[in-house]
Amino acid sequence: MRGELIKGYEMVAETIKSFCGDRQTTVCRICGEILTETTVTSGQQPYETTWILCGACGSWSIGREPDIERLNAFYSDYSVHHKMAATNTDANDGKRYSDEWRETREREYRLSINDIGLELEQGKDLVDFGAYDGVFLDVCRATQPNLGKSTAVDYPREDTLHLAARGHNFEPINEWMAGESLTDIVTLWDVYEHIADLPGLLTTLSRRVKSGGQVLIQTPHAHVHAQILGPQWHHFLPVQHLQLPSREGILRQFDRYGFTAVQVASFGANAPGSIIPQPYKQLFDTLAKLGDLGSTQLIRFVRR
């Protein structure tokens, strides 16, 4: 059994490593400007990953262009991979997405919805892009039982079979990207930083979100934390994170596709409880949130 697990870890780690192709990244994945020579490298060989700073907008891009085909294959079976991922890739989400952590996730989602001012109005349709197991949609439906159609967009997996019983629809990513019908709200919770084809996603959002409709994003917030902490900034996640946007960079990017930011917020001081004891952790996290200096950002956009 142990031998099979080790073989599984090695297989998944090799798949993760193969995300990165041979082509060097030369322009910012957020704003398209030429990248600087400033880099940060994290992880250990053979999973070492480098990010390059954009001098124009302050965002970070993965150092090598990802292999989109392999990346999509990985996420299509993510329910298996995240439970087996080798620990030295820093990519194991098994704990966060376990049943034991569901209550914590629900509490975090409610806080984020409140922080960014999302009003879940009766009859409004909502699409959660990269929904994974649909827990965010469960929270939205519990908050507003008379919400319109709630749709989880992701890769077909075992987890998605249970969505209908909880009142949600499911649509595979490729079908939703090719669709034409309009929706009121699209949310991207901790998924933007993983997207290989950002222009494709943003083009789809500009086509499928109604005029006056909303897009909500929760994603890393590249700013002083990244500059000061370097490899210790927890969003420099080896291999899986492909872009880490600054506030300025992501606002510029969405503006080009017809979206205006109406509310911004951030949270998290990169102060893990295993290293920073209470009450100092609470102090650091509170100050980061009050000063909008958090390492994770929330942005609510409206389609013009």
Side-chain angles (χ1 to χ4, degrees), residues 57-128:
C57 76
S59 300
W60 296 82
S61 298
I62 196 167
R64 293 192 177 277
E65 292 292 337
D67 184 322
I68 296 178
E69 187 174 331
R70 287 183 178 272
L71 190 67
N72 288 341
F74 172 84
Y75 282 115
S76 68
D77 197 20
Y78 195 48
S79 59
V80 174
H81 286 288
H82 92 264
K83 294 170 185 173
M84 296 176 58
T87 55
N88 64 347
T89 66
D90 291 336
N92 190 352
D93 290 331
K95 182 177 180 181
R96 175 167 174 76
Y97 290 98
S98 65
D99 291 339
E100 291 78 8
W101 268 60
R102 174 164 179 146
E103 187 176 334
T104 299
R105 288 172 63 202
E106 289 178 343
R107 183 173 65 251
E108 290 175 352
Y109 289 148
R110 285 192 292 269
L111 282 171
S112 292
I113 288 171
N114 182 68
D115 287 345
I116 205 59
L118 173 64
E119 294 183 5
L120 295 167
E121 299 178 38
Q122 180 175 337
K124 294 289 186 180
D125 294 338
L126 186 152
V127 169
D128 188 25

Side-chain angles (χ1 to χ4, degrees), residues 124-140:
K124 294 289 186 180
D125 294 338
L126 186 152
V127 169
D128 188 25
F129 186 92
Y132 188 60
D133 56 4
V135 171
F136 176 74
L137 288 176
D138 291 344
V139 170
C140 292

Side-chain angles (χ1 to χ4, degrees), residues 172-194:
I173 284 179
N174 60 338
E175 292 182 16
W176 190 81
M177 294 281 284
E180 297 292 339
S181 61
L182 300 180
T183 192
D184 298 294
I185 305 169
V186 176
T187 58
L188 295 98
W189 241 241
D190 301 319
V191 68
Y192 171 94
E193 61 272 20
H194 301 275

